[in-house]
Amino acid sequence: MTIKVLLADDQALLRSAFRVLVDSEADMEVVGEASDGAQAVEIARTRGADVVLMDIRMPGTDGLAATRMITEDPRLADVRVVMLTTFEVDEYVVDSLRAGASGFLGKGAEPDELLAAIRIAAAGEALLSPVATKGLIARFLAQGDGSGDEGAYDAARLDALTVREREVLVQVGGGLSNDEIAARLEVSPLTVKTHVNRAMAKLGARDRAQLVVIAYETGLVRAGA
């Protein structure tokens, strides 16, 4: 299956470089380019993109606003957004996850990293680049310990989870893969995947990245833990 990629960046030269790279892969194709967020949303609606490479900072409608528009549109429920940023140690990174992005990547990433990011996002996995350590994400998401923060997630919604689903969510929040969680909890990877999918359904999470956000914002996983 071919992954349809939309490029959203106000730098035409960078978009051209990304297009050459993406179109060189047998399992990917660029279906459109946008120079601002509003244009990206419109193209996503009309051309059926699977993954949007979205620059955080663009003139007009920026990447954060565009990401919210995409993730809040039921017609685009299957579209995944990977945010591109020049500086990865940036609070906009966490804002992008809160807006519904599947993850983020630095613009200085190697070509193989960028291609892997597209495939990871298309598969519904959380994408956190090596520079974006758990400590960075936790530090921002855990501000206020999920209490005084206006954007904090309602911890009471975790009541819908079973004990095992909570255990799995803790491990997801810690950045572990299904295989790593399976080894730690002594169950099969398929069982872990089932628990992850059920947690996503109960919590209304679009993908694994959103589970990471929820784990921190509810206080289930805390900074430095």
Side-chain angles (χ1 to χ4, degrees):
M1 185 177 68
T2 301
I3 301 172
K4 299 177 181 177
V5 181
L6 169 59
L7 308 175
D9 196 295
D10 60 322
Q11 299 181 49
L13 186 60
L14 191 58
R15 293 199 310 271
S16 295
F18 285 160
R19 174 181 280 276
V20 170
L21 178 63
V22 172
D23 282 341
S24 70
E25 298 296 296
D27 62 337
M28 300 179 191
E29 68 171 328
V30 174
V31 294
E33 296 184 26
S35 58
D36 63 48
Q39 187 180 18
V41 175
E42 181 60 27
I43 294 175
R45 287 172 176 162
T46 58
R47 302 187 189 177
D50 297 313
V51 177
V52 182
L53 293 182
M54 182 86 74
D55 186 15
I56 288 182
R57 296 171 178 171
M58 291 183 287
T61 303
D62 65 16
L64 287 174
T67 297
R68 291 190 186 96
M69 292 169 69
I70 289 173
T71 58
E72 291 173 0
D73 188 337
R75 295 170 295 176
L76 303 177
D78 295 328
V79 178
R80 299 292 177 256
V81 178
V82 175
M83 303 298 282
L84 298 174
T85 176
T86 303
F87 304 103
E88 294 184 69
V89 285
D90 187 337
E91 63 181 302
Y92 285 122
V93 164
V94 176
D95 288 338
S96 71
L97 292 176
R98 281 177 169 154
S102 294
F104 61 93
L105 196 68
K107 288 187 177 181
E110 295 295 324
D112 287 348
E113 290 182 278
L114 181 65
L115 295 173
I118 293 171
R119 294 186 176 100
I120 290 171
E125 296 293 331
L127 172 68
L128 301 178
S129 67
V131 177
T133 62
K134 289 186 298 179
L136 171 67
I137 301 300
R139 179 158 51 88
F140 285 109
L141 289 182
Q143 284 177 348
D145 291 326
S147 54
D149 190 331
E150 182 179 350
Y153 192 88
D154 182 6
R157 291 187 65 183
L158 293 179
D159 294 343
L161 302 182
T162 65
V163 173
R164 180 59 93 181
E165 287 164 358
R166 279 176 176 254
E167 290 176 342
V168 170
L169 180 55
V170 169
Q171 305 305 319
V172 170
L176 274 64
S177 67
N178 284 356
D179 287 344
E180 291 169 332
I181 297 173
R184 179 168 293 189
L185 299 183
E186 299 183 341
V187 296
S188 72
L190 181 58
T191 296
V192 172
K193 183 177 181 179
T194 298
H195 288 312
V196 169
N197 289 341
R198 286 177 178 170
M200 287 172 56
K202 290 179 179 180
L203 298 173
R206 282 171 57 91
D207 54 29
R208 200 181 187 92
Q210 296 309 297
L211 287 182
V212 175
V213 173
I214 291 169
Y216 282 112
E217 289 195 326
T218 57
L220 187 64
V221 176
R222 297 182 182 276

Coordinates of all heavy atoms in Angstrom, one line a residue, residues 128-197:
L128 N 8.7 9.9 18.5 CA 9.5 10.8 19.3 C 10.9 10.7 18.9 O 11.5 9.6 19.1 CB 9.3 10.6 20.8 CG 7.8 10.7 21.2 CD1 7.7 10.3 22.7 CD2 7.2 12.0 21.0
S129 N 11.5 11.7 18.3 CA 12.9 11.6 17.8 C 13.9 11.4 19.0 O 13.5 11.8 20.1 CB 13.2 12.8 17.0 OG 13.3 14.0 17.8
P130 N 15.0 10.9 18.7 CA 16.0 10.7 19.8 C 16.3 11.9 20.6 O 16.5 11.8 21.9 CB 17.3 10.2 19.0 CG 16.7 9.6 17.8 CD 15.5 10.5 17.4
V131 N 16.3 13.1 20.1 CA 16.6 14.3 20.8 C 15.5 14.6 21.8 O 15.7 15.2 22.9 CB 16.8 15.5 19.9 CG1 17.1 16.8 20.7 CG2 18.0 15.2 19.0
A132 N 14.3 14.2 21.4 CA 13.1 14.5 22.3 C 13.0 13.4 23.4 O 12.3 12.4 23.2 CB 11.8 14.5 21.5
T133 N 13.8 13.5 24.4 CA 13.8 12.5 25.5 C 12.5 12.5 26.3 O 11.7 13.5 26.2 CB 14.9 12.8 26.5 OG1 14.7 14.1 27.1 CG2 16.3 12.9 25.8
K134 N 12.3 11.4 27.0 CA 11.1 11.4 27.8 C 11.0 12.5 28.8 O 10.0 13.0 29.1 CB 11.0 10.0 28.6 CG 10.8 8.8 27.7 CD 10.6 7.6 28.6 CE 11.9 7.3 29.3 NZ 11.8 6.1 30.2
G135 N 12.2 12.9 29.3 CA 12.3 14.0 30.3 C 11.7 15.3 29.7 O 11.0 16.0 30.4
L136 N 12.0 15.6 28.5 CA 11.6 16.8 27.8 C 10.1 16.8 27.7 O 9.4 17.8 28.1 CB 12.2 16.9 26.4 CG 11.6 18.1 25.6 CD1 12.0 19.4 26.1 CD2 12.1 18.0 24.1
I137 N 9.5 15.7 27.2 CA 8.0 15.6 27.1 C 7.4 15.7 28.5 O 6.4 16.4 28.7 CB 7.7 14.3 26.4 CG1 8.3 14.2 25.0 CG2 6.1 14.2 26.3 CD1 7.9 15.3 24.1
A138 N 7.9 14.9 29.4 CA 7.3 14.9 30.7 C 7.3 16.2 31.4 O 6.4 16.6 32.1 CB 8.0 13.8 31.6
R139 N 8.4 17.0 31.2 CA 8.6 18.2 31.9 C 7.5 19.2 31.5 O 6.9 19.9 32.4 CB 10.0 18.8 31.6 CG 10.2 20.2 32.2 CD 11.7 20.4 32.3 NE 12.4 20.2 31.0 CZ 12.5 21.1 30.1 NH1 12.0 22.3 30.3 NH2 13.1 20.9 28.9
F140 N 7.1 19.2 30.3 CA 6.1 20.1 29.8 C 4.7 19.6 30.1 O 3.8 20.3 30.6 CB 6.2 20.4 28.3 CG 7.4 21.4 28.0 CD1 8.5 20.9 27.4 CD2 7.3 22.7 28.4 CE1 9.5 21.7 27.1 CE2 8.3 23.6 28.1 CZ 9.5 23.1 27.4
L141 N 4.5 18.3 29.8 CA 3.1 17.8 30.0 C 2.7 17.7 31.5 O 1.6 17.7 31.8 CB 3.1 16.4 29.4 CG 3.1 16.4 27.8 CD1 2.9 14.9 27.3 CD2 2.0 17.2 27.3
A142 N 3.7 17.5 32.4 CA 3.4 17.3 33.8 C 3.4 18.7 34.5 O 3.2 18.7 35.7 CB 4.4 16.4 34.4
Q143 N 3.5 19.8 33.9 CA 3.4 21.1 34.5 C 2.1 21.2 35.2 O 1.0 21.0 34.7 CB 3.6 22.2 33.6 CG 5.1 22.4 33.1 CD 5.2 23.5 32.1 OE1 4.2 24.0 31.5 NE2 6.4 23.9 31.8
G144 N 2.2 21.5 36.5 CA 0.9 21.6 37.3 C 0.4 20.2 37.7 O -0.6 20.1 38.3
D145 N 1.1 19.2 37.4 CA 0.7 17.8 37.7 C -0.7 17.5 37.3 O -1.4 16.7 38.0 CB 0.9 17.6 39.2 CG 2.3 17.5 39.7 OD1 3.2 17.1 38.9 OD2 2.6 18.0 40.8
G146 N -1.1 18.1 36.2 CA -2.4 17.8 35.6 C -3.6 18.4 36.4 O -4.7 18.1 36.2
S147 N -3.3 19.4 37.3 CA -4.3 20.0 38.1 C -4.7 21.4 37.7 O -5.7 21.6 37.1 CB -4.0 20.0 39.6 OG -2.7 20.6 39.8
G148 N -3.7 22.3 37.8 CA -4.1 23.7 37.4 C -3.9 24.0 36.0 O -4.2 25.2 35.6
D149 N -3.6 23.1 35.2 CA -3.3 23.4 33.7 C -4.7 23.4 33.0 O -5.5 22.5 33.1 CB -2.4 22.3 33.2 CG -2.0 22.6 31.8 OD1 -2.7 23.3 31.0 OD2 -0.9 22.1 31.4
E150 N -4.9 24.5 32.2 CA -6.1 24.6 31.5 C -6.4 23.5 30.5 O -7.5 23.1 30.3 CB -6.1 26.0 30.8 CG -7.4 26.2 30.0 CD -7.3 27.6 29.3 OE1 -6.4 28.4 29.6 OE2 -8.2 27.8 28.5
G151 N -5.3 22.9 30.0 CA -5.4 21.9 29.0 C -5.3 20.5 29.6 O -5.2 19.5 28.8
A152 N -5.3 20.4 30.9 CA -5.1 19.1 31.5 C -6.2 18.1 31.2 O -7.4 18.5 31.0 CB -5.0 19.3 33.0
Y153 N -5.9 16.9 31.1 CA -6.8 15.8 30.8 C -7.5 15.4 32.0 O -6.9 15.4 33.1 CB -6.0 14.7 30.2 CG -6.9 13.6 29.5 CD1 -7.2 13.8 28.2 CD2 -7.3 12.5 30.2 CE1 -8.0 12.8 27.5 CE2 -8.1 11.6 29.6 CZ -8.4 11.7 28.3 OH -9.2 10.7 27.7
D154 N -8.8 15.1 32.0 CA -9.6 14.6 33.1 C -9.1 13.3 33.6 O -9.4 12.3 32.9 CB -11.1 14.6 32.7 CG -12.0 14.3 33.9 OD1 -11.5 14.1 35.0 OD2 -13.2 14.1 33.6
A155 N -8.5 13.2 34.7 CA -8.0 12.0 35.2 C -9.1 10.9 35.5 O -8.8 9.7 35.5 CB -7.1 12.2 36.5
A156 N -10.3 11.4 35.8 CA -11.4 10.5 36.1 C -11.7 9.6 34.9 O -12.2 8.5 35.1 CB -12.6 11.3 36.5
R157 N -11.3 10.0 33.7 CA -11.6 9.2 32.6 C -10.8 7.9 32.6 O -11.1 6.9 31.9 CB -11.4 9.9 31.3 CG -12.4 11.0 31.1 CD -12.3 11.7 29.7 NE -12.6 10.8 28.6 CZ -12.5 11.1 27.4 NH1 -12.1 12.3 27.0 NH2 -12.8 10.2 26.4
L158 N -9.7 7.9 33.4 CA -8.9 6.6 33.5 C -9.7 5.5 34.2 O -9.3 4.4 34.1 CB -7.6 6.9 34.2 CG -6.6 7.8 33.5 CD1 -5.4 8.0 34.4 CD2 -6.2 7.3 32.2
D159 N -10.8 5.9 34.8 CA -11.6 4.9 35.5 C -12.2 3.9 34.6 O -12.6 2.8 35.0 CB -12.8 5.6 36.3 CG -12.3 6.4 37.4 OD1 -11.1 6.3 37.8 OD2 -13.0 7.3 37.9
A160 N -12.3 4.2 33.3 CA -12.8 3.3 32.3 C -11.9 2.2 32.0 O -12.3 1.2 31.4 CB -13.2 4.1 31.0
L161 N -10.6 2.3 32.3 CA -9.6 1.3 32.0 C -9.6 0.2 33.1 O -9.8 0.4 34.2 CB -8.2 2.0 32.0 CG -8.0 3.1 31.0 CD1 -6.5 3.6 31.0 CD2 -8.4 2.7 29.5
T162 N -9.2 -1.0 32.6 CA -9.0 -2.1 33.5 C -7.6 -1.9 34.2 O -6.8 -1.0 33.7 CB -9.0 -3.4 32.8 OG1 -7.9 -3.5 31.9 CG2 -10.3 -3.6 32.0
V163 N -7.3 -2.7 35.2 CA -6.0 -2.6 35.8 C -4.9 -2.9 34.9 O -3.9 -2.2 34.8 CB -6.0 -3.6 37.0 CG1 -4.6 -3.6 37.6 CG2 -7.0 -3.2 38.1
R164 N -5.1 -3.9 34.0 CA -4.1 -4.2 33.1 C -3.9 -3.1 32.0 O -2.8 -2.8 31.6 CB -4.4 -5.5 32.4 CG -3.4 -6.0 31.4 CD -2.0 -6.1 32.0 NE -1.7 -7.5 32.4 CZ -0.6 -7.9 33.1 NH1 0.3 -7.0 33.3 NH2 -0.5 -9.2 33.4
E165 N -5.0 -2.5 31.6 CA -4.9 -1.4 30.6 C -4.1 -0.2 31.2 O -3.4 0.4 30.5 CB -6.3 -1.0 30.1 CG -6.9 -2.1 29.2 CD -8.4 -1.9 29.0 OE1 -9.0 -1.0 29.7 OE2 -9.0 -2.6 28.2
R166 N -4.3 0.0 32.5 CA -3.6 1.1 33.1 C -2.1 0.7 33.2 O -1.2 1.6 33.0 CB -4.1 1.3 34.6 CG -5.3 2.1 34.7 CD -5.8 2.2 36.2 NE -6.9 3.0 36.3 CZ -6.9 4.2 36.9 NH1 -5.8 4.7 37.3 NH2 -8.0 5.0 37.0
E167 N -1.8 -0.5 33.5 CA -0.4 -0.9 33.5 C 0.3 -0.7 32.2 O 1.4 -0.3 32.1 CB -0.3 -2.4 34.0 CG -0.7 -2.7 35.4 CD -0.7 -4.1 35.7 OE1 -0.7 -5.0 34.8 OE2 -0.6 -4.5 36.9
V168 N -0.4 -1.1 31.1 CA 0.1 -1.0 29.8 C 0.3 0.5 29.4 O 1.3 0.9 28.8 CB -0.8 -1.7 28.8 CG1 -0.4 -1.3 27.3 CG2 -0.8 -3.2 28.9
L169 N -0.7 1.4 29.8 CA -0.6 2.8 29.6 C 0.6 3.4 30.2 O 1.2 4.3 29.7 CB -1.9 3.5 30.0 CG -2.0 5.0 29.8 CD1 -1.8 5.4 28.4 CD2 -3.3 5.5 30.3
V170 N 0.9 3.0 31.4 CA 2.1 3.5 32.1 C 3.3 3.2 31.3 O 4.2 4.0 31.1 CB 2.2 2.8 33.5 CG1 3.6 3.1 34.1 CG2 1.2 3.3 34.5
Q171 N 3.4 2.0 30.8 CA 4.6 1.6 30.0 C 4.6 2.3 28.6 O 5.7 2.7 28.2 CB 4.5 0.1 29.7 CG 4.4 -0.8 30.9 CD 5.6 -0.5 31.9 OE1 6.7 -0.3 31.6 NE2 5.2 -0.5 33.2
V172 N 3.5 2.6 28.0 CA 3.4 3.4 26.8 C 3.9 4.8 27.1 O 4.7 5.3 26.3 CB 2.0 3.4 26.2 CG1 1.9 4.4 25.1 CG2 1.6 2.0 25.7
G173 N 3.5 5.3 28.2 CA 3.9 6.7 28.6 C 5.4 6.7 28.9 O 6.1 7.8 28.8
G174 N 6.0 5.6 29.2 CA 7.4 5.5 29.4 C 8.2 5.3 28.2 O 9.5 5.2 28.2
G175 N 7.5 5.3 27.0 CA 8.2 5.2 25.7 C 8.5 3.8 25.3 O 9.3 3.6 24.3
L176 N 8.0 2.7 25.9 CA 8.3 1.4 25.6 C 7.5 0.9 24.4 O 6.3 1.3 24.2 CB 8.1 0.4 26.7 CG 9.2 0.3 27.7 CD1 9.5 1.6 28.5 CD2 8.9 -0.8 28.7
S177 N 8.1 0.0 23.6 CA 7.4 -0.5 22.4 C 6.5 -1.7 22.9 O 6.6 -2.1 24.1 CB 8.4 -1.1 21.4 OG 9.1 -2.2 21.9
N178 N 5.6 -2.2 22.1 CA 4.8 -3.4 22.4 C 5.6 -4.6 22.9 O 5.3 -5.3 23.8 CB 3.9 -3.7 21.3 CG 2.7 -2.8 21.2 OD1 2.5 -1.9 21.9 ND2 1.9 -3.0 20.1
D179 N 6.7 -4.8 22.1 CA 7.6 -5.9 22.5 C 8.2 -5.8 23.8 O 8.3 -6.7 24.6 CB 8.7 -6.1 21.4 CG 8.1 -6.7 20.1 OD1 7.0 -7.2 20.1 OD2 8.8 -6.6 19.1
E180 N 8.7 -4.5 24.1 CA 9.3 -4.3 25.4 C 8.3 -4.4 26.6 O 8.6 -4.9 27.6 CB 9.9 -2.9 25.4 CG 11.1 -2.8 24.5 CD 11.6 -1.3 24.2 OE1 10.7 -0.4 24.3 OE2 12.8 -1.1 24.0
I181 N 7.1 -3.9 26.3 CA 6.0 -4.0 27.3 C 5.7 -5.5 27.6 O 5.5 -5.9 28.7 CB 4.8 -3.2 26.9 CG1 5.1 -1.7 26.8 CG2 3.6 -3.5 27.9 CD1 3.9 -0.9 26.2
A182 N 5.6 -6.2 26.5 CA 5.3 -7.7 26.6 C 6.3 -8.4 27.5 O 6.0 -9.2 28.3 CB 5.2 -8.3 25.2
A183 N 7.6 -8.1 27.3 CA 8.7 -8.7 28.0 C 8.6 -8.3 29.5 O 8.8 -9.1 30.4 CB 10.0 -8.3 27.5
R184 N 8.3 -7.0 29.7 CA 8.2 -6.5 31.1 C 7.0 -7.1 31.9 O 7.1 -7.5 33.1 CB 8.2 -5.0 31.1 CG 8.1 -4.4 32.5 CD 8.4 -2.9 32.5 NE 9.7 -2.6 32.1 CZ 10.3 -1.4 32.2 NH1 9.5 -0.4 32.6 NH2 11.5 -1.2 31.8
L185 N 5.9 -7.2 31.2 CA 4.7 -7.7 31.9 C 4.5 -9.2 31.7 O 3.5 -9.8 32.2 CB 3.4 -7.0 31.3 CG 3.4 -5.5 31.5 CD1 2.1 -4.9 31.0 CD2 3.6 -5.1 33.0
E186 N 5.4 -9.9 30.9 CA 5.3 -11.3 30.7 C 4.0 -11.8 30.1 O 3.4 -12.7 30.5 CB 5.6 -12.1 32.0 CG 6.9 -11.8 32.7 CD 7.2 -12.5 33.9 OE1 6.2 -13.1 34.5 OE2 8.3 -12.7 34.3
V187 N 3.7 -11.0 29.0 CA 2.6 -11.4 28.1 C 3.0 -11.4 26.7 O 4.1 -11.0 26.4 CB 1.4 -10.5 28.4 CG1 0.8 -10.6 29.8 CG2 1.7 -9.0 28.0
S188 N 2.1 -11.7 25.8 CA 2.5 -11.7 24.4 C 2.4 -10.3 23.8 O 1.6 -9.5 24.3 CB 1.6 -12.6 23.6 OG 0.3 -12.1 23.4
P189 N 3.2 -9.9 22.7 CA 3.0 -8.6 22.1 C 1.6 -8.4 21.6 O 1.1 -7.3 21.6 CB 4.0 -8.7 20.9 CG 5.1 -9.6 21.4 CD 4.3 -10.7 22.2
L190 N 0.9 -9.5 21.1 CA -0.4 -9.4 20.6 C -1.4 -8.9 21.7 O -2.3 -8.1 21.5 CB -0.9 -10.7 20.0 CG -2.3 -10.7 19.4 CD1 -2.4 -9.6 18.3 CD2 -2.6 -12.1 18.9
T191 N -1.1 -9.5 22.9 CA -2.0 -9.1 24.1 C -1.8 -7.6 24.4 O -2.7 -6.9 24.7 CB -1.6 -10.0 25.3 OG1 -1.9 -11.3 25.0 CG2 -2.4 -9.5 26.5
V192 N -0.5 -7.2 24.3 CA -0.2 -5.8 24.6 C -0.9 -4.9 23.6 O -1.5 -3.9 23.9 CB 1.3 -5.5 24.6 CG1 1.6 -4.0 24.7 CG2 2.0 -6.2 25.7
K193 N -0.8 -5.3 22.3 CA -1.5 -4.5 21.3 C -3.0 -4.4 21.5 O -3.6 -3.3 21.3 CB -1.2 -5.2 19.9 CG -1.8 -4.4 18.7 CD -1.4 -5.1 17.4 CE -2.0 -4.3 16.2 NZ -1.6 -4.9 14.9
T194 N -3.6 -5.5 21.9 CA -5.0 -5.5 22.2 C -5.3 -4.5 23.3 O -6.3 -3.7 23.3 CB -5.5 -6.9 22.6 OG1 -5.3 -7.8 21.6 CG2 -7.0 -6.9 23.0
H195 N -4.5 -4.5 24.4 CA -4.8 -3.6 25.5 C -4.6 -2.1 25.1 O -5.3 -1.2 25.5 CB -3.8 -3.9 26.7 CG -4.1 -5.2 27.4 ND1 -5.4 -5.4 27.9 CD2 -3.4 -6.2 27.8 CE1 -5.4 -6.6 28.5 NE2 -4.2 -7.1 28.5
V196 N -3.5 -1.9 24.3 CA -3.3 -0.5 23.8 C -4.5 -0.1 22.9 O -4.9 1.1 23.1 CB -2.0 -0.5 22.9 CG1 -1.9 0.8 22.2 CG2 -0.8 -0.7 23.8
N197 N -5.0 -0.9 22.0 CA -6.1 -0.5 21.2 C -7.3 -0.2 22.0 O -8.1 0.7 21.7 CB -6.4 -1.6 20.2 CG -5.3 -1.7 19.1 OD1 -4.5 -0.7 18.9 ND2 -5.2 -2.8 18.4

